[in-house]
Amino acid sequence: MWPTEPIPPGLPDAASPFKSKPTKTNSSDSHRFNVDDGTSSVSKLHAPVQLSHLASLGVEEIHKLLESDQDTGPTLGNVTLEVYPWKEFDDKKKVFDGPPTSLNICEHTGKIFKYDRLYFGPAYEMDENNWTQGFENSALYKHILQKGIDGRNPLISNGGGVDKRKIVCKGFYRKERKAVAAKKSDKSIVYRGVQAVNDRKLSRPAGKSMPRKSSNADTSSGSCKFMFYIKCDEIGPYINLERNAGCGDHNNHPLAISSECIPVPLKLVPEEVKKTAVNVVESAASHAAGRNFLLRDSQIFINKARMAYLAKLSDEEKNSDSKMGDFGRMIDQFEREEDISYTILSNVPLSDLKDLSKDAASELDGDGQNKNVTVATTKGDDGNITCKEVSSEDEIAHADNIAKEQRQERALDVTQILFMAIGFVYLPLLRFVKLCPEVIWCDITSHSNNKGFHLMTFSCRNSGLAKQSVFMWLWLPDQKRFSFRWVFQHALKMLLPLHVRLRVRFIMKDGDPQQRNEILRSLLSVFPNAIEGSCGWHIVDRGWHSHIRACIAKAYRPHWNKIVKKIHTWIYSWMKPGFVEDPDEYEISKALLIRFICSDVVLRAARNNKALIIDILKFVRSHVFVYEQQYLFYLRKRVKHYAVAHGTQHEGTNTALKEHSAGIKGTMNMDIAAKTIILQSKLKVEELNAMIYRDFSRSDKPWSISPTSKHLLSFAEALLKAVRERTCLYTARRVDKRIFEVSFTPQQAKHAPASTAESSQSKACSVQLKSDEIDKQVTAGDLATTKPRLLVEYADSDDAKVAPLPLFERKRIVTVADDGTLSCECCKFEFSSLPCEHLESVCHLVHEANGSKFAGWTPRDIGVKYHTLFNYYTYRPSDQVPERTQSLYHRLACQDISGPNLRCEIPDSLRIDEPSPKKTALDRLKNYSKDDVDLNQFDGLLAKTFKSSSTQLTEDEECDMFTELTESLCTMSTDHANDVFSSSLEDADLPTSASASTYSALKQSIFECCEMADRTGMREAFHEKLKDFMKECNSEECKRKAALQEGKPAKKLATTGVVAMTNVKHSGPGRVHNTKTMPK
């Protein structure tokens, strides 16, 4: 009982932290907690009356009161059902004539009652002969379970024989099992440990290998006796009350305080809701998503484990009897899917193979089960599955030896299967590879499954859609050379058609040496027409992070970051079209970069840290120049590679693979991860098909009036339009019978006439390629709106402004073949299948000489990969598109045009001028003088091999050599070069006074002034001087802000009365400043 003595004097009513409004309770049960049994009208959130008396109780008294409330004695259950009572000698046929009666059957079970049976009514009619067989899935059983939960009595059916079902208390109906009792007494079991600070440590594999701490219902003091029986006769099912059958009381356990606390059995979840939840799980590849949906849609909560079980029940693969677990389910799934082609490397028992080679058959014993063999199982695009021993393939025959070593190391039985690797493709997605296979990317990532397999992916980019898509996935056991050999010498041959491999021109990879070795090997047989390239981002950015450790104070870090950005941009310029186009230009650019690194501007930004400058020089020489054969653009400008210089596009697909709304996780089984990848592939196919169909069905492009606008994909037409807008910046002249010279003459550019539709939207529709494909365009309109600056032909003005890149003057030579095919020295058509500004400038000149106007390129002058009909019709099933149409387009894809065509004759009246004299790269340098470049100063530093005598020096001697080189280059830098370096830095050019902070420079003087003020008693005077100086600084700061605000539009006031207190810039009225430091 709660204490009834008066409240101690001086203790206010609000002394208890649980003080609440008074509630009405029965006086006899005022000491009990208000339990929500469905009958009480008192709010369950209200506390008992006189709760403030707790303040006078001690801890022991409170515990005793709480223990007295935990009564586990007999408690009447509550299962209220709508039933039709019947007693002996009544007519059964009339039992349903009256209305049903609502009864709590627990009040009459096991007690003397005037009725003998309680029928459930016609809605639950069952066959009296075999009603027990499907009772657990019947509507009656689900109805009883739901009513039991509503009354805080979770129930379950537990046997009963062939003629009845026994309904008992769930969890407490049986006594403690012997196995559980034995487990308690077994002291040798070491369970998973826990940690108060970082318990996550023990959830790792080492901790997971230990037994889990499970819990069971406590029935050590006895089981719960609650039960009642259900039988069925010719009338229907009923609750049997004859001879006081059953027991309506719960004992030896407490009841739940609310039905909301009881987990909902999966049986009570409607089938439609289950199906929808499973679809949500599969579409999001997350059991948590299904859990969230159930709670949001039906107010039903089930945890992730039960959601996983529900998804497994609905999976057709649950009946798989494969010995390989999730591997077997994955392979079964691939075999059923018509759109999946795969190849598997595994070591299996010889007895599992139907067709054995002579060598393999000779190794069998009498029982034929003591040997294993490594095989490659492949499912082709026609659906046929073949199995071949790897010993017959020279390139991967070594796999058999590796498998034997692994079996011995893992102590595998001969009957067990060793799964080694698998690769697969989604055939509908492979269609987009066939459309544009010239460039493929490859990379490897981890954390894609819970078995530790590494995931290697291949992707391609549709040049007309600008969309990257992964088309092949391979799970490898490691990143050793043999794994990559299996990929490039076997898997690619099996999964990628020959005609696709022959059209591959460029393979982009990262810096993995094992991977590169096998790519080089595959170039001989698998990709005979391709060359390799290394990712510029891995070489520059990742290499910088690995080898450069810059310890720059936070205050000066922004300036240093600008220097780093300029160095990176400078190196990236060698990988892009237009910046360096021959070995001489490349040597000049390298020399100027070294001079820039050693300049006083960079040294001051590095806080006079010469060791840091030396580290940068070492990095450039040892980790950048050595890869120049793999990143230089001018070495591969005649290869159709679309100016690809980085692997970041593919890195993005690896990230998207995991960050997708249905992303793969490192905790997934192999079959779930594979199913998730296929789901992502299906989404990608639908996305690409929708984009192509949109251009097919909406071919009219009001933002472009060129002859190609109705025939090209939107992205391709936008690229062509950007080229057309830049043509006015060039001037062409004839220098031979079929040779033209094109110069960049922005000073002669005029606003070319254009239609209203094109001129009004030219700015909005100007689309540029990514920075690693085509340079940013500069239109004639830009000349009138941009600030005066040095205009360059390749117009990647952002890069030219960010870093002091060397700019070269060029005369482009355009040649017209006898059949009218145009070709340009810039090789843009060769690497992108799009005509350049120089070719279009020549066409304008020739057409004007013939008295006509050049209307634009025709669709036949553009690579077929940009054509809408090609992307829409080609490589489809033959029942969708006629084979003849597809064959013709395939022929075009394999033998595309070598250049656009000049569709008119060159008139003799067109004057032939003298060609411009050829200049060296040094003479063509525009923004540096010849004195700024002296290649002899670097003593082989620019060479990728660096064969000077310094290679024999020790580390200390080499540092001394670099120090001497840095000092000499810094002193020998010309004033003009220093001016270019400084002007390129803009606000990053640090003044001399910024070499140290004011406090650091004046710290001693400030300390002495404070000491003098204390000794002379002039503290107040010193304080006044400081306040005067602060006022002067505030005044100057206000003037500076006012100057910055001139010419800027007024701020827009906030349109709502609520302003978020975040880091987002405030757009409302000005904030109130600290009045103490505000200027008066």
Side-chain angles (χ1 to χ4, degrees):
M1 297 291 291
W2 295 103
T4 56
E5 55 267 14
I7 300 176
L11 182 65
D13 291 344
S16 170
F18 306 102
K19 184 66 178 177
S20 63
K21 295 181 180 180
T23 59
K24 295 181 180 180
T25 58
N26 296 329
S27 58
S28 61
D29 291 333
S30 61
H31 67 288
R32 300 283 187 182
F33 289 103
N34 289 329
V35 177
D36 182 15
D37 58 358
T39 59
S40 175
S41 61
V42 181
S43 172
K44 60 184 177 182
L45 297 179
H46 288 174
V49 294
Q50 298 181 347
L51 199 58
S52 59
H53 287 167
L54 290 176
S56 62
L57 299 178
V59 174
E60 292 296 330
E61 294 174 305
I62 293 176
H63 277 293
K64 289 179 180 180
L65 290 173
L66 290 173
E67 290 172 0
S68 65
D69 290 331
Q70 302 300 322
D71 187 6
T72 58
T75 305
L76 182 65
N78 182 8
V79 183
T80 303
L81 300 170
E82 299 286 334
V83 294
Y84 296 86
W86 176 87
K87 60 184 176 181
E88 194 176 5
F89 307 119
D90 286 349
D91 188 359
K92 290 184 179 180
K93 296 181 180 179
K94 297 181 180 180
V95 69
F96 299 135
D97 291 350
T101 302
S102 179
L103 292 176
N104 179 7
I105 64 171
C106 300
E107 296 178 353
H108 312 293
T109 302
K111 300 177 179 62
I112 299 177
F113 190 45
K114 61 181 179 179
Y115 296 109
D116 297 314
R117 300 179 183 178
L118 300 176
Y119 283 92
F120 287 99
Y124 303 104
E125 183 178 358
M126 293 183 176
D127 185 2
E128 63 174 324
N129 296 321
N130 57 359
W131 68 277
T132 57
Q133 294 181 4
F135 177 75
E136 279 70 19
N137 295 319
S138 65
L140 175 60
Y141 183 55
K142 295 177 182 179
H143 176 65
I144 295 173
L145 294 184
Q146 184 62 59
K147 290 300 181 181
I149 291 177
D150 293 343
R152 303 182 290 122
N153 300 260
L155 306 175
I156 192 173
S157 173
N158 182 47
V162 296
D163 60 339
K164 60 181 177 294
R165 292 286 92 184
K166 181 180 180 182
I167 307 299
V168 296
C169 177
K170 183 178 181 180
F172 297 92
Y173 67 93
R174 66 173 64 178
K175 294 183 179 180
E176 186 178 62
R177 295 184 175 182
K178 295 181 179 179
V180 176
K183 198 173 183 179
K184 288 182 179 180
S185 59
D186 190 353
K187 304 300 183 181
S188 63
I189 301 178
V190 180
Y191 293 94
R192 297 185 192 179
V194 295
Q195 289 183 348
V197 177
N198 184 16
D199 193 51
R200 184 177 178 83
K201 179 180 179 181
L202 293 173
S203 67
R204 295 174 182 171
K208 288 185 176 180
S209 63
M210 304 170 73
R212 183 192 299 272
K213 296 185 178 72
S214 59
S215 58
N216 302 304
D218 183 13
T219 57
S220 56
S221 58
S223 60
C224 181
K225 305 301 182 183
F226 178 91
M227 69 173 179
F228 60 88
Y229 291 96
I230 296 178
K231 294 184 177 183
C232 184
D233 58 13
E234 71 278 4
I235 301 299
Y238 62 88
I239 298 176
N240 182 33
L241 302 179
E242 297 175 359
R243 298 180 182 179
N244 303 332
C247 175
D249 294 332
H250 291 273
N251 43 39
N252 296 320
H253 69 91
L255 292 181
I257 61 174
S258 170
S259 60
E260 297 176 357
C261 303
I262 303 174
V264 178
L266 293 179
K267 287 183 179 295
L268 299 185
V269 181
E271 290 299 324
E272 290 299 323
V273 177
K274 286 182 183 179
K275 292 180 181 179
T276 306
V278 171
N279 289 335
V280 171
V281 169
E282 294 181 351
S283 62
S286 170
H287 298 123
R291 173 201 62 188
N292 300 346
F293 166 78
L294 282 177
L295 183 63
R296 177 68 178 82
D297 181 72
S298 305
Q299 301 300 313
I300 298 174
F301 174 78
I302 62 175
N303 57 31
K304 289 173 59 177
R306 297 175 69 205
M307 189 68 240
Y309 174 72
L310 179 61
K312 184 178 179 181
L313 287 179
S314 64
D315 199 339
E316 296 178 355
E317 301 163 355
K318 66 180 183 297
N319 296 322
S320 175
D321 57 352
S322 173
K323 298 179 293 184
M324 299 174 67
D326 55 343
F327 294 106
R329 292 193 297 270
M330 175 180 63
I331 297 172
D332 291 343
Q333 175 190 351
F334 286 171
E335 290 179 355
R336 291 195 308 270
E337 286 273 0
E338 296 181 356
D339 295 331
I340 298 293
S341 179
Y342 68 85
T343 181
I344 303 173
L345 183 66
S346 58
N347 185 267
V348 301
L350 283 171
S351 56
D352 288 358
L353 298 181
K354 296 181 180 178
D355 301 324
L356 297 178
S357 65
K358 293 183 178 180
D359 295 338
S362 63
E363 296 181 1
L364 286 173
D365 279 351
D367 56 359
Q369 293 186 357
N370 70 330
K371 294 294 183 180
N372 301 88
V373 64
T374 304
V375 296
T377 306
T378 303
K379 177 188 175 185
D381 53 6
D382 57 357
N384 294 327
I385 299 177
T386 59
C387 187
K388 189 175 182 181
E389 299 174 36
V390 298
S391 57
S392 60
E393 300 186 28
D394 295 336
E395 295 293 345
I396 59 173
H398 185 58
D400 207 18
N401 295 330
I402 295 178
K404 291 178 181 178
E405 294 174 0
Q406 291 296 321
R407 295 189 74 92
Q408 184 176 3
E409 180 180 342
R410 300 168 188 270
L412 298 182
D413 186 76
V414 293
T415 60
Q416 291 180 289
I417 298 175
L418 178 64
F419 185 91
M420 301 176 69
I422 183 173
F424 61 96
V425 296
Y426 183 60
L427 296 178
L429 192 57
L430 195 60
R431 185 180 88 85
F432 297 96
V433 184
K434 299 175 182 178
L435 292 175
C436 191
E438 286 78 13
V439 182
I440 63 173
W441 286 258
C442 62
D443 194 15
I444 197 163
T445 184
S446 58
H447 298 89
S448 62
N449 58 89
N450 60 5
K451 298 296 185 296
F453 280 87
H454 302 264
L455 179 63
M456 188 174 187
T457 55
F458 286 81
S459 70
C460 70
R461 185 177 182 85
N462 189 296
S463 53
L465 297 175
K467 287 293 183 179
Q468 193 92 5
S469 55
V470 179
F471 64 87
M472 185 182 297
W473 302 265
L474 305 106
W475 269 306
L476 308 177
D478 50 47
Q479 297 189 42
K480 296 180 180 180
R481 185 166 185 176
F482 174 75
S483 296
F484 292 121
R485 177 170 298 181
W486 175 80
V487 171
F488 287 99
Q489 298 298 330
H490 175 79
L492 284 171
K493 290 180 179 180
M494 296 293 104
L495 302 178
L496 208 57
L498 177 62
H499 73 88
V500 176
R501 290 188 276 116
L502 292 177
R503 291 164 56 195
V504 175
R505 296 293 183 267
F506 187 72
I507 301 177
M508 175 57 70
K509 57 175 178 29
D510 58 12
D512 192 318
Q514 302 290 351
Q515 187 181 126
R516 178 174 184 258
N517 291 335
E518 289 307 318
I519 289 179
L520 293 176
R521 187 185 181 98
S522 69
L523 295 180
L524 301 176
S525 58
V526 184
F527 301 109
N529 300 321
I531 64 173
E532 64 158 340
S534 289
C535 172
W537 180 76
H538 280 90
I539 293 174
V540 180
D541 188 89
R542 296 298 88 194
W544 183 279
H545 282 277
S546 299
H547 301 94
I548 304 298
R549 295 291 183 267
C551 298
I552 305 295
K554 186 176 181 180
Y556 306 100
R557 208 169 294 160
H559 300 291
W560 174 248
N561 290 339
K562 290 183 179 181
I563 295 292
V564 175
K565 172 69 174 177
K566 296 176 191 307
I567 296 175
H568 288 190
T569 304
W570 201 316
I571 301 175
Y572 286 144
S573 69
W574 305 334
M575 310 173 190
K576 302 177 182 180
F579 287 96
V580 293
E581 297 192 352
D582 57 51
D584 293 337
E585 292 181 0
Y586 177 53
E587 293 299 318
I588 291 173
S589 184
K590 286 199 296 184
L592 289 173
L593 172 62
I594 299 299
R595 191 177 292 279
F596 173 70
I597 294 173
C598 297
S599 66
D600 184 61
V601 173
V602 178
L603 185 60
R604 281 189 284 126
R607 317 302 300 151
N608 294 320
N609 187 352
K610 293 185 179 181
L612 180 57
I613 304 299
I614 293 174
D615 287 343
I616 297 175
L617 290 176
K618 289 181 179 180
F619 164 71
V620 172
R621 187 197 66 146
S622 304
H623 302 284
V624 176
F625 292 164
V626 293
Y627 296 110
E628 61 186 23
Q629 294 295 323
Q630 301 175 46
Y631 66 69
L632 283 176
F633 168 78
Y634 75 82
L635 295 179
R636 56 183 183 232
K637 65 180 180 179
R638 298 189 182 276
V639 177
K640 196 177 296 298
H641 71 292
Y642 303 98
V644 171
H646 306 281
T648 51
Q649 301 96 325
H650 187 79
E651 295 285 345
T653 63
N654 283 341
T655 302
L657 191 69
K658 301 171 184 177
E659 300 298 330
H660 195 278
S661 57
I664 62 173
K665 305 292 188 296
T667 57
M668 287 182 172
N669 286 334
M670 298 289 288
D671 58 326
I672 301 299
K675 186 186 298 184
T676 304
I677 290 175
I678 298 303
L679 173 61
Q680 294 184 15
S681 302
K682 292 179 180 179
L683 292 172
K684 176 60 72 171
V685 169
E686 295 301 324
E687 177 190 1
L688 297 179
N689 281 330
M691 294 179 66
I692 294 175
Y693 179 75
R694 183 176 63 245
D695 281 337
F696 172 77
S697 60
R698 302 178 184 179
S699 59
D700 186 23
K701 302 176 180 63
W703 46 271
S704 178
I705 59 173
S706 73
T708 59
S709 63
K710 295 184 179 180
H711 303 275
L712 302 185
L713 297 169
S714 295
F715 182 76
E717 177 61 25
L719 293 176
L720 201 61
K721 183 175 183 293
V723 172
R724 185 168 62 254
E725 291 176 346
R726 282 179 46 81
T727 305
C728 60
L729 302 175
Y730 295 84
T731 301
R733 62 192 187 96
R734 189 182 183 188
V735 296
D736 203 344
K737 186 177 180 179
R738 306 189 73 84
I739 299 177
F740 295 83
E741 184 181 274
V742 182
S743 304
F744 180 66
T745 56
Q747 64 278 3
Q748 301 178 16
K750 298 179 180 179
H751 293 280
S755 65
T756 304
E758 187 158 352
S759 61
S760 62
Q761 300 187 32
S762 61
K763 185 175 181 179
C765 297
S766 286
V767 179
Q768 65 186 49
L769 276 175
K770 304 300 180 184
S771 60
D772 59 349
E773 295 176 359
I774 301 294
D775 302 318
K776 181 180 177 183
Q777 69 272 17
V778 175
T779 63
D782 293 332
L783 301 179
T785 57
T786 56
K787 296 181 180 180
R789 67 169 186 264
L790 180 62
L791 292 174
V792 294
E793 176 190 359
Y794 28 99
D796 198 344
S797 54
D798 289 342
D799 284 353
K801 185 178 179 181
V802 167
L805 305 179
L807 310 178
F808 297 92
E809 178 187 1
R810 295 191 179 92
K811 303 293 184 181
R812 302 292 187 180
I813 301 300
V814 176
T815 304
V816 183
D818 294 338
D819 60 352
T821 302
L822 295 162
S823 61
C824 179
E825 275 187 340
C826 73
C827 300
K828 182 176 181 179
F829 195 91
E830 282 83 344
F831 69 75
S832 69
S833 294
L834 286 174
C836 59
E837 302 90 336
H838 320 112
L839 299 181
E840 188 163 342
S841 180
V842 170
C843 290
H844 279 289
L845 176 66
V846 175
H847 277 77
E848 289 175 1
N850 281 309
S852 61
K853 182 180 179 181
F854 180 65
W857 303 109
T858 65
R860 297 182 182 181
D861 297 322
I862 311 300
V864 70
K865 298 165 188 62
Y866 297 104
H867 290 210
T868 303
L869 295 182
F870 170 76
N871 285 272
Y872 186 70
Y873 285 127
T874 316
Y875 306 116
R876 300 257 188 194
S878 58
D879 58 342
Q880 297 180 3
V881 181
E883 291 186 4
R884 180 177 180 275
T885 302
Q886 299 198 60
S887 298
L888 292 174
Y889 274 122
H890 174 67
R891 186 69 175 174
L892 278 178
C894 295
Q895 290 184 342
D896 208 351
I897 59 175
S898 58
N901 199 277
L902 179 62
R903 303 188 182 277
C904 65
E905 293 295 331
I906 303 174
D908 295 335
S909 59
L910 185 59
R911 187 182 63 189
I912 298 178
D913 299 327
E914 288 292 329
S916 299
K918 291 189 176 182
K919 300 180 181 180
T920 64
L922 201 57
D923 293 331
R924 292 186 286 106
L925 194 57
K926 298 172 66 174
N927 55 337
Y928 289 91
S929 66
K930 292 183 179 180
D931 297 334
D932 298 334
V933 184
D934 186 359
L935 300 180
N936 297 324
Q937 294 178 356
F938 299 94
D939 186 27
L941 181 64
L942 304 182
K944 63 179 181 180
T945 55
F946 196 65
K947 296 180 179 179
S948 68
S949 59
S950 63
T951 55
Q952 308 299 327
L953 301 179
T954 64
E955 184 176 354
D956 293 337
E957 292 172 337
E958 187 177 12
C959 288
D960 294 339
M961 183 271 295
F962 273 111
T963 303
E964 182 180 354
L965 174 64
T966 304
E967 294 175 351
S968 62
L969 289 178
C970 186
T971 55
M972 289 188 295
S973 295
T974 63
D975 294 338
H976 180 265
N978 289 331
D979 291 340
V980 175
F981 296 154
S982 297
S983 60
S984 71
L985 289 176
E986 298 177 336
D987 58 341
D989 188 8
L990 306 180
T992 306
S993 59
S995 59
S997 65
T998 303
Y999 178 77
S1000 298
L1002 303 179
K1003 180 168 59 176
Q1004 185 62 30
S1005 298
I1006 295 174
F1007 180 74
E1008 291 176 357
C1009 289
C1010 292
E1011 279 193 334
M1012 292 293 292
D1014 288 337
R1015 285 201 304 267
T1016 59
M1018 299 179 62
R1019 179 184 298 178
E1020 292 298 329
F1022 181 54
H1023 190 198
E1024 291 297 327
K1025 294 289 185 182
L1026 291 178
K1027 287 195 292 185
D1028 292 340
F1029 179 74
M1030 188 176 294
K1031 290 179 182 179
E1032 185 176 352
C1033 291
N1034 286 333
S1035 178
E1036 291 296 327
E1037 180 69 12
C1038 291
K1039 291 179 182 179
R1040 188 184 67 84
K1041 289 183 178 180
L1044 292 176
Q1045 291 296 329
E1046 290 183 4
K1048 289 186 177 181
K1051 288 183 178 181
K1052 293 183 179 180
L1053 297 180
T1055 56
T1056 63
V1058 180
V1059 178
M1061 194 180 73
T1062 63
N1063 292 329
V1064 179
K1065 189 175 181 180
H1066 179 61
S1067 60
R1071 293 184 172 90
V1072 177
H1073 298 277
N1074 187 344
T1075 55
K1076 183 176 181 180
T1077 59
M1078 282 181 62
K1080 296 181 180 179

